[in-house]
């Protein structure tokens, strides 16, 4: 109980306005141990991200983009350095507190969608609400609303396998939005989609950032996709080699 | 606690969503539990039945029969010769110290009539020695006496089946029945013994004094001779000695030379029954072994299904953790899933086992006994397998970082 209470207080304290520093990492390193081999995935990353930003993370394959993003999303742990989320040191949180932060403050969109294969679109979208204790009726209503917002009306009871790639990704985005999380992490969300669908998804995400005030951090290989963002951070070999602001398209 | 309730709901939802996997897992448990219960019930029933029959036969019994057992086997017509007499029986009783009781037997089949009811049954002429020899207990009336035998009295003791058919629920003691037109007084009713080894109804008989049987009922066949003699040794350890003493005595009485061929045969009834008991025990063991195999196969089935889906379920755990499931929520979900499957599968298995035992005993006429131990054993084993393989991989996955679980393969 004590843990949950702390988590909730924390979540409340995370309410941030646009422009404030949301994410601050200092000398972040991540080293994977594969047998006797140590693989450095991130080697001393220091940067800050403010509320309402739309950041594209680019770089060659294996440069550490996903690793960086998973650490920011509290899905993975850093090896050394500091990660401050709204000024609070994430390294001090317990597993359950991190779960609470992810639940209330973060949404994820992955390249491979990561939907429960045997659950309907509606059930998949309800999932975050299930873990934040939202009553059934409200859960259903909010999940439906999110699906409608993403143009998936009438698809509520489809299984992921009965949806197109673009539709599946939109279900994943609905799931990321349903808890009104202020942070959205997207790791190559258009990697499995054709150009037309990719553009649709990107317009959607851009809209969420511009109109919804959501802080969006997006990993991509493609300059066309990165062009939607206002800031591009480039990784090479686990280091930031450039960090440029640009006018969004 | 709403969190717990929600988790239970999540678990039940997950079971429903994975219908096929749930059904297959349950099937493994159902088959394991059902088969074990049914097989052990058959085995237990068989050995219980044998033990009852052993007890109902009377213990430490020898049967002395006319005719001889040659080295080539049973001589033809054994029992047809009337070489044993009532006097032989009395002599055995008098002169063989290892013998506790003797009952000469003259048997036949006849109608017993009471009022407008009649019933055809085995009529056995014997002496009061039959009471200790076959461990007979009476539910009412008295056994007949030496006086009844000496006087060739027209008295009869009835078995339960005969009583049921002639008198229904009434007590027949003191009533008159007719056997081959002669009136007999019912003096006693024997306690129920049930079926014999061969499925013979041991309560479908009537005892009359041996002299009465010889003179009034089956005189044409048994002029002074008896069909066989039941000999009961005082102690199990006395069986061999009793057999030796009876053999010596009868050789003397029948004037058979030391090397001569015997005109009677002695069989050890207890040994025969023990042999039967032994073989049932072997059968029970065999059934038990088959049952454990099906339990094992069921267990392996459960294990397989659970383990095959570990990858998919680990990803599922990753997804749930990513959207905010806490560690305990994950563990509870999988524990509840595993428990639900194991308990409901086990329950259906128990029902299946009990019902099929019942069907076996109705249809095949086998005695089946569902023992609580077999239920506990089968249920416990499959339950443990189900819970372990359902919960343990999930427990391990819950220790991972969300990203490790998401990428698991
Ligand atoms: N679980 C892991 N175990 C060991 N090494 C890993 C693991 N995950 C990533 N790495 C290594 O860390 C480095 C960075 O990987 P990461 O996935 O972050 O790259 P990326 O920039 O996302 O690449 P891509 O564009 O191909 O997705 C790579 O060298 C990779 O081999
Ligand atoms: Mg990547």
């Amino acid at each position: 109980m004590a843990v949950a209470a702390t988590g909730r207080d924390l979540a409340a304290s995370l309410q941030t306005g646009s422009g404030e520093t949301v994410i601050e990492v200092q000398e972040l390193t991540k080293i994977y141990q594969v047998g006797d081999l140590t693989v450095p995935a991130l080697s001393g990353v220091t940067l800050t991200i403010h509320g309402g930003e739309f950041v594209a993370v680019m770089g060659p394959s294996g440069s550490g983009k996903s690793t960086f993003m998973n650490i920011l999303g509290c899905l993975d742990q850093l090896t050394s350095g500091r990660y401050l989320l709204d000024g609070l040191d994430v390294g001090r949180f317990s597993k359950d507190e991190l779960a609470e932060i992810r639940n209330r403050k973060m949404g994820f969109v992955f390249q491979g969608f990561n939907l429960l294969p045997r659950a309907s679109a509606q059930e998949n979208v309800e999932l975050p609400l299930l873990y934040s204790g939202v009553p059934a009726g409200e859960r259903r209503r909010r999940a439906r609303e999110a699906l409608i917002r993403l143009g998936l009306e009438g698809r509520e009871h489809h299984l992921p396998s009965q949806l197109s790639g673009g539709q599946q990704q939109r279900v994943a985005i609905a799931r990321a939005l349903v808890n009104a999380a202020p942070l959205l992490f997207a790791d190559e969300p258009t990697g499995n989609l054709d150009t037309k669908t990719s553009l649709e998804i990107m317009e959607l995400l851009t809209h969420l950032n511009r109109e919804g005030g959501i802080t969006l951090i997006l990993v991509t290989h493609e300059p066309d996709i990165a062009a939607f963002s206002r800031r591009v951070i480039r990784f090479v070999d686990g280091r930031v080699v450039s960090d440029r602001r640009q006018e969004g398209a | 606690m709403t969190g717990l309730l929600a988790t239970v709901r999540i678990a039940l939802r997950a079971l429903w969503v994975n219908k096929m996997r749930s059904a297959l897992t349950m099937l493994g448990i159902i088959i394991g539990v059902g088969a074990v219960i049914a097989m052990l019930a058959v085995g237990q029933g068989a050995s219980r039945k044998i033990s009852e029959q052993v007890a109902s036969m009377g213990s430490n019994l020898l049967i002395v029969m006319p005719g001889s057992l040659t080295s080539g086997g049973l001589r033809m017509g054994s029992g047809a010769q009337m070489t044993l007499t009532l006097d032989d029986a009395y002599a055995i009783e008098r002169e063989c110290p290892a013998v506790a009781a003797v009952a000469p037997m003259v048997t036949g089949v006849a109608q017993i009539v009471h009022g407008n009811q009649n019933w055809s049954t085995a009529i056995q002429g014997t002496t009061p020695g039959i009471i200790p020899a076959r461990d007979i207990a009476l539910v009412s009336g008295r056994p007949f006496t030496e006086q009844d035998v000496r006087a060739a009295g027209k008295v009869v003791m009835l078995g339960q089946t005969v009583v049921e058919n002639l008198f229904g629920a009434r007590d027949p003691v003191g009533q008159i029945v007719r056997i081959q037109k002669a009136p007999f007084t019912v003096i006693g009713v024997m306690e129920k013994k049930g079926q014999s080894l061969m499925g013979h109804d041991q309560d479908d008989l009537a005892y009359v004094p041996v002299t009465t049987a010889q003179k009034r009922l089956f005189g044409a066949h048994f002029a002074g001779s008896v069909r066989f003699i039941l000999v009961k040794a005082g102690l199990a350890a006395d069986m061999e000695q009793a057999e030796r003493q009876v053999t010596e005595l009868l050789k003397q009485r029948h004037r058979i030379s030391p090397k001569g061929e015997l005109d009677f045969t002695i069989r050890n009834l207890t040994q025969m029954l023990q042999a039967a008991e032994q073989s049932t025990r072997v059968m029970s063991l065999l059934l038990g072994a088959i049952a454990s195999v099906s339990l094992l196969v069921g267990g392996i089935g459960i294990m397989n299904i659970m383990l095959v889906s570990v990858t998919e379920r680990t990803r599922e755990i990753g997804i749930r953790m990513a959207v905010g499931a806490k560690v305990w929520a994950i563990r509870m979900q999988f524990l509840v899933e595993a428990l639900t499957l194991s308990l409901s599968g086990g329950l259906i298995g128990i029902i299946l086992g009990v019902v099929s035992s019942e069907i076996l005993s109705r249809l095949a006429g086998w005695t089946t006994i569902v023992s609580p131990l077999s239920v506990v054993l089968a249920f416990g084993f499959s339950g443990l397998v189900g819970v372990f393989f359902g919960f343990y991989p999930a427990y391990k996955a819950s220790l991972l970082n969300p990203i490790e679980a998401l990428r698991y393969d």
Side-chain angles (χ1 to χ4, degrees):
Chain A
M1 270 295 104
V3 170
T6 336
R8 204 157 289 130
D9 296 346
L10 189 103
S13 77
L14 276 173
Q15 293 297 348
T16 46
S18 181
E20 287 174 44
T21 301
V22 182
I23 287 168
E24 185 177 354
V25 291
Q26 299 162 352
E27 287 305 313
L28 184 68
T29 66
K30 174 74 182 179
I31 298 171
Y32 288 109
Q33 193 77 37
V34 184
D36 290 340
L37 222 67
T38 54
V39 182
L42 293 174
S43 321
V45 175
T46 300
L47 54 78
T48 321
I49 295 170
H50 300 282
E53 273 197 279
F54 178 174
V55 181
V57 179
M58 296 193 72
S61 185
S63 56
K65 306 182 294 292
S66 296
T67 306
F68 178 64
M69 170 121 153
N70 292 333
I71 289 172
L72 292 192
C74 300
L75 298 170
D76 205 353
Q77 277 160 348
L78 46 81
T79 308
S80 72
R82 249 152 64 97
Y83 170 20
L84 302 177
L85 189 61
D86 267 333
L88 295 170
D89 188 349
V90 168
R92 292 177 193 229
F93 297 149
S94 70
K95 255 185 113 132
D96 283 350
E97 285 170 328
L98 292 175
E100 183 121 9
I101 291 172
R102 285 192 301 271
N103 182 258
R104 289 169 188 276
K105 293 288 142 190
M106 297 171 174
F108 299 94
V109 181
F110 301 93
Q111 181 177 0
F113 317 136
N114 277 333
L115 299 172
L116 294 182
R118 280 184 250 281
S120 68
Q122 167 91 21
E123 286 167 336
N124 267 291
V125 175
E126 279 187 30
L127 214 54
L129 302 176
L130 214 59
Y131 290 110
S132 50
V134 174
E138 194 187 336
R139 220 160 55 211
R140 219 164 297 132
R141 186 179 56 74
R142 278 165 64 177
R144 228 179 93 75
E145 272 173 20
L147 284 167
I148 291 170
R149 247 171 96 192
L150 288 161
L152 288 167
E153 187 159 23
R155 296 280 187 276
E156 290 91 338
H157 302 294
H158 286 52
L159 294 177
S161 59
Q162 296 164 335
L163 296 170
S164 72
Q167 287 170 332
Q168 288 184 57
Q169 198 58 299
R170 277 188 278 166
V171 172
I173 294 171
R175 182 179 65 188
L177 296 179
V178 75
N179 232 2
L183 277 168
L184 183 60
F185 297 96
D187 192 347
E188 302 191 38
T190 58
N192 284 354
L193 305 174
D194 61 37
T195 317
K196 183 170 168 287
T197 320
S198 295
L199 290 180
E200 279 171 25
I201 294 286
M202 283 315 299
E203 267 155 24
L204 197 78
L205 290 175
T206 308
H207 177 80
L208 287 170
N209 170 251
R210 300 245 169 110
E211 317 299 325
I214 284 173
T215 309
L216 177 58
I217 297 156
L218 174 135
V219 172
T220 183
H221 279 295
E222 296 165 54
D224 290 356
I225 301 295
F228 283 86
S229 73
R230 300 227 180 115
R231 177 181 175 192
V232 179
I233 301 173
R234 241 168 240 288
F235 277 73
V236 173
D237 285 340
R239 285 173 214 281
V240 177
V241 294
S242 83
D243 185 345
R244 274 200 328 255
R245 278 163 215 281
Q246 64 186 25
E247 259 324 296
Chain B
M1 193 163 166
T2 55
L4 188 67
L5 212 72
T7 311
V8 169
R9 235 178 267 129
I10 292 171
L12 297 182
R13 162 90 47 106
L15 286 179
W16 178 246
V17 158
N18 299 296
K19 287 184 243 349
M20 194 62 174
R21 178 165 60 214
S22 306
L24 286 174
T25 307
M26 250 165 78
L27 195 68
I29 298 175
I30 291 170
I31 289 174
V33 172
V36 167
I37 290 175
M39 297 220 194
L40 292 184
V42 169
Q44 282 240 317
S47 56
R48 161 85 66 90
K49 192 165 176 190
I50 295 283
S51 325
E52 276 172 11
Q53 281 157 356
V54 169
S56 75
M57 283 299 300
S59 50
N60 308 338
L61 280 186
L62 297 173
I63 302 184
V64 187
M65 292 187 297
S68 70
L69 200 68
T70 62
S71 54
L74 201 65
R75 181 204 272 180
M76 293 305 290
S78 158
Q81 304 147 293
M82 304 298 170
T83 54
L84 293 174
T85 65
L86 207 50
D87 288 338
D88 285 334
Y90 286 127
I92 292 169
E93 194 165 27
R94 247 185 352 258
E95 293 175 30
C96 298
V99 170
V102 176
M105 306 295 287
V106 169
T107 61
V109 173
Q111 291 263 334
I112 304 186
V113 182
H114 174 74
N116 56 3
Q117 303 290 317
N118 69 81
W119 184 250
S120 178
T121 190
I123 309 283
Q124 310 202 327
T126 184
T127 61
I130 193 71
I131 303 289
R134 293 213 53 200
D135 295 326
I136 289 170
L138 295 184
V139 287
S140 74
R142 62 166 182 91
F144 45 67
T145 59
E146 283 303 332
Q147 175 55 37
D148 292 322
V149 175
R150 266 198 301 278
K154 286 187 276 186
V155 290
V156 62
M157 298 194 300
L158 299 179
Q160 290 286 344
T161 305
V162 181
V163 173
E164 276 160 31
N165 282 287
L166 293 182
F167 295 92
R170 282 175 297 140
D171 184 3
V173 170
Q175 302 283 322
I176 303 294
V177 294
R178 290 182 176 274
I179 306 175
Q180 291 188 353
K181 301 211 171 68
F184 281 71
T185 308
V186 179
I187 56 166
V189 176
M190 273 99 63
E191 196 178 72
K192 199 170 179 70
K193 281 198 178 231
Q195 291 195 339
S196 79
L197 270 181
M198 318 304 171
H200 179 77
D201 181 0
Q202 298 188 88
D203 302 305
D204 189 6
L205 55 65
Y207 287 122
V208 297
V210 62
T211 43
T212 315
Q214 284 177 329
K215 288 175 191 158
R216 298 187 198 275
L217 299 177
F218 313 119
H221 295 283
F222 301 97
S225 66
V226 297
R227 184 152 217 159
F228 59 92
I229 303 172
L230 280 180
V231 174
K232 185 189 176 79
L235 298 166
D238 287 344
M239 294 284 281
E240 272 177 42
Q241 213 184 341
E243 190 170 339
R244 224 171 21 247
Q245 288 170 0
V246 171
T247 308
E248 278 314 307
L249 179 73
L250 290 182
K251 272 171 87 172
Q252 245 177 46
R253 289 179 57 87
H254 295 191
R255 298 198 172 75
I256 296 166
S257 63
K259 296 263 151 111
E261 195 180 323
L262 300 179
D263 62 354
F264 60 91
T265 310
I266 301 182
R267 288 220 196 151
N268 187 329
L269 210 57
T270 310
Q271 268 171 17
M272 284 163 58
L273 285 170
Q274 276 168 352
E277 203 172 16
Q278 191 62 42
S279 63
T280 336
R281 207 167 292 139
V282 170
M283 188 189 78
S284 292
L285 269 174
L286 214 73
L287 284 173
I290 297 170
S292 356
V293 169
S294 55
L295 199 62
L296 205 71
V297 169
I300 291 171
I302 299 165
M303 199 172 89
N304 257 325
I305 293 152
M306 297 276 189
L307 289 183
V308 160
S309 62
V310 156
T311 305
E312 188 195 308
R313 303 231 70 186
T314 304
R315 292 219 182 93
E316 176 187 335
I317 289 170
I319 293 171
R320 289 179 184 277
M321 289 200 293
V323 302
K326 292 182 178 163
V327 171
W328 78 263
I330 298 285
R331 290 184 190 166
M332 277 301 293
Q333 176 196 334
F334 280 77
L335 189 64
V336 171
E337 276 187 36
L339 279 174
T340 307
L341 281 185
S342 302
L343 292 181
S344 49
L347 228 63
I348 297 174
I350 289 174
I351 293 169
L352 190 81
V354 171
V355 166
S356 49
S357 314
E358 189 60 25
I359 288 174
L360 276 178
S361 74
R362 290 265 170 85
L363 253 51
W366 299 349
T367 308
T368 56
I369 298 165
V370 176
S371 74
L373 185 72
S374 73
V375 173
V376 169
L377 216 80
F379 193 74
F381 181 80
S382 340
L384 278 181
V385 171
V387 170
F388 182 82
F389 286 100
F391 179 64
Y392 184 67
Y395 171 80
K396 269 189 9 196
S398 74
L399 296 174
L400 298 174
N401 281 329
I403 199 68
E404 289 169 321
L406 275 171
R407 290 197 177 146
Y408 186 87
D409 51 22

